[in-house]
């Protein structure tokens, strides 16, 4: 985790392999309003400044159309994760969630009724 004042627009760094040959830079924003193109441009600039090719921008809100279009057009691989996708990923990976209900579905065991 980097994320402090003067972090250059990077909140975290993931080593994609054990040797650190490739890294993924993370930017996270806890906003209510949609993240716009200028924020994504700053993030892509931070990627370029760190000689990184991959980044993930995570927000609790959403992204404007301009932000999404820009991210899809740049040479750097910039993945955008909005609030609903973040919630889905959290549930898929059991991160920050708990089980509310468990249902048992039963079927008839026909072997039980066979005569020997």
């Amino acid at each position: 985790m980097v994320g402090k004042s003067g972090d250059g627009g990077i909140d975290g760094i993931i080593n994609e392999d054990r040797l650190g040959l490739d890294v993924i830079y993370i930017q996270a924003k806890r906003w209510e309003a949609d993240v716009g193109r200028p924020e994504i441009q700053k993030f892509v600039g931070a990627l370029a400044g760190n000689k990184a090719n991959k980044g993930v921008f995570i927000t609790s809100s959403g992204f404007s159309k301009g932000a999404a279009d820009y991210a899809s057009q740049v040479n750097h691989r910039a993945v955008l994760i909005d609030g609903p996708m973040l919630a889905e990923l959290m549930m898929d990976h059991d991160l920050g969630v708990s089980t509310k209900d468990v249902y048992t579905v039963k079927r008839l065991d026909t072997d039980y009724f066979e005569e020997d």
Side-chain angles (χ1 to χ4, degrees):
M1 187 169 106
V2 178
K4 58 185 178 221
S5 181
D7 62 13
I10 303 299
D11 290 328
I13 301 169
I14 299 171
N15 287 323
E16 195 169 14
D17 58 70
R18 289 181 154 221
L19 299 175
L21 296 174
D22 207 1
V23 294
I24 301 171
Y25 286 82
I26 309 292
Q27 176 69 41
K29 297 282 187 201
R30 187 175 181 178
W31 286 4
E32 290 185 24
D34 283 352
V35 175
R37 179 180 171 139
E39 290 299 316
I40 303 305
Q41 286 177 300
K42 289 179 201 173
F43 179 60
V44 170
L47 293 177
N50 286 289
K51 298 180 183 170
N53 294 317
K54 300 175 188 173
V56 179
F57 196 110
I58 303 167
T59 183
S60 55
S61 60
F63 295 97
S64 70
K65 182 173 177 356
D69 290 347
Y70 180 79
S72 69
Q73 295 170 359
V74 294
N75 288 335
H76 294 78
R77 180 90 170 110
V79 175
L80 306 182
I81 298 177
D82 63 7
M85 182 183 234
L86 178 60
E88 186 176 317
L89 289 168
M90 289 172 67
M91 287 186 277
D92 288 349
H93 296 282
D94 290 326
L95 179 66
V97 298
S98 59
T99 302
K100 180 180 176 190
D101 293 311
V102 176
Y103 299 94
T104 302
V105 178
K106 298 188 179 197
R107 66 177 177 82
L108 189 59
D109 182 1
T110 56
D111 293 340
Y112 179 82
F113 296 101
E114 287 186 7
E115 294 184 34
D116 292 328

